[in-house]
Amino acid sequence: EAGVAQSPRYKIIEKRQSVAFWCNPISGHATLYWYQQILGQGPKLLIQFQNNGVVDDSQLPKDRFSAERLKGVDSTLKIQPAKLEDSAVYLCASSRLMGVYGYTFGSGTRLTVV
Amino acid sequence: GQQLNQSPQSMFIQEGEDVSMNCTSSSIFNTWLWYKQDPGEGPVLLIALYKAGELTSNGRLTAQFGITRKDSFLNISASIPSDVGIYFCAGDDYNQGGKLIFGQGTELSVKP
């Protein structure tokens, strides 16, 4: 079974620029999550999708972050404009259903904002 | 919001020693999970605990779900160099439908 695919692996941008991350979940996984992991901390959930609908985006800074999951498969997370404090690893995870069974993380995208 | 306090923050041990780390929460969780994260990779699930009091092993790893449902520990016996990494506890509130709350992590270093 192929894992959760994320790209790019690394991205360096200047503050106020925009950036987008892509995630392809495990085939058949209905639930998709985006987490932000700041250096030295545990991951923190940004947004959760069930198929192509948003379940929880309470921790997403909506003035600059947006995410979509068209057709209930791939997802993109966008930051516009980026701030220095957005430097982090952005992890995508997926699970077959809502809940922890089969919860799998991708390798993440490391974003550096300078 | 919910928070997990994980300790210790870091450990430096000799190969062959046993390791213990724990997590406590101010609120109840229905599931406790333990993950390991290697540099440049996402967290990988080590052990999942689903019932209060449950004790589960996975090779040299043993974890327990506290009776109060507010704590959990992870033990690693006879550590080896490949155990190096960051270990995270995570709790799942059933009512949140899969949203995981993570601890701050325990960074483990093993000296051969």
Side-chain angles (χ1 to χ4, degrees), chain A residues 9 35 37 42-43 48 103 106-107, chain B residues 37 40-42 88 97-98 100 102:
Chain A
R9 287 300 308 271
Y35 283 81
Q37 185 176 21
Q48 175 183 348
Y103 214 107
S107 297
Chain B
Q37 188 172 29
E41 299 297 328
F88 289 98
L100 295 183
F102 281 83

Side-chain angles (χ1 to χ4, degrees), chain B residues 57-80:
Chain B
S57 293
N58 178 8
R60 294 178 296 104
L61 278 59
T62 301
Q64 184 158 30
F65 191 148
I67 289 291
T68 64
R69 294 163 66 193
K70 293 184 177 181
D71 63 304
S72 177
F73 72 75
L74 174 72
N75 288 341
I76 305 173
S77 62
S79 59
I80 58 178

Side-chain angles (χ1 to χ4, degrees), chain B residues 33 38-39 54 56 60 63 66-67 71 73 89 92 100 110:
Chain B
L33 306 163
D38 292 326
E54 179 181 354
T56 298
R60 294 178 296 104
I67 289 291
D71 63 304
F73 72 75
C89 61
D92 171 56
L100 295 183
V110 180

